Amino acid sequence: MDRKYNDLIGDILEGAGEKDNFKGKGKPISKEYLQMDTYQHFQKIAKDAGFLPPWLKLQKEISQLVHLCKTEQDVKIINEKILKHNRICPPPMQKNIIALKSLENAKKIW
């Protein structure tokens, strides 16, 4: 054994003939990458890949439901989703529950 470590992924890539065949090989790291911290870099990659946080997906779903709302039962379902949204979203993004009589105002907010 001439190596001091196991490189399982390297061995798999070498067996498939793809070890040195990857995007960006030989190119310098962008200045933008070096200026951002790890979290900012993750956010950029996630955004480019189309990732949405669960609370944002739920917010979009609630918005659609509010605009289609007609009955008190619809309002009850929406309010349950709003409470779930408020538990998982950042505090400044939390919203109040809605009522059937103030539906027009809720449509403007959502």
Side-chain angles (χ1 to χ4, degrees), residues 42-100:
F42 165 76
Q43 284 180 319
K44 182 183 182 319
I45 291 172
K47 182 180 177 186
D48 292 347
F51 173 78
L52 282 178
W55 64 270
L56 212 63
K57 289 180 185 177
L58 189 57
Q59 182 175 320
K60 289 183 177 193
E61 180 183 342
I62 292 169
S63 177
Q64 290 175 348
L65 290 173
V66 166
H67 286 29
L68 298 174
C69 181
K70 301 249 189 272
T71 66
E72 193 65 42
Q73 183 64 27
D74 293 342
V75 170
K76 185 177 178 183
I77 293 169
I78 292 169
N79 284 336
E80 289 174 4
K81 290 187 181 284
I82 290 173
L83 292 174
K84 181 180 179 184
H85 171 268
N86 287 345
R87 283 193 301 269
I88 61 175
C89 77
M93 302 302 293
Q94 293 179 356
K95 309 230 180 179
N96 293 326
I97 59 174
I98 64 170
L100 194 58

Side-chain angles (χ1 to χ4, degrees), residues 22 25 32-33 39 98 101 106:
F22 54 90
K25 179 184 175 207
E32 183 180 272
Y33 175 79
Y39 184 67
I98 64 170
K101 62 184 176 185

Side-chain angles (χ1 to χ4, degrees), residues 9-10 13-26:
I9 295 175
L13 290 173
E14 190 173 321
E18 296 289 327
K19 185 164 183 162
D20 294 324
N21 184 19
F22 54 90
K23 181 181 169 190
K25 179 184 175 207

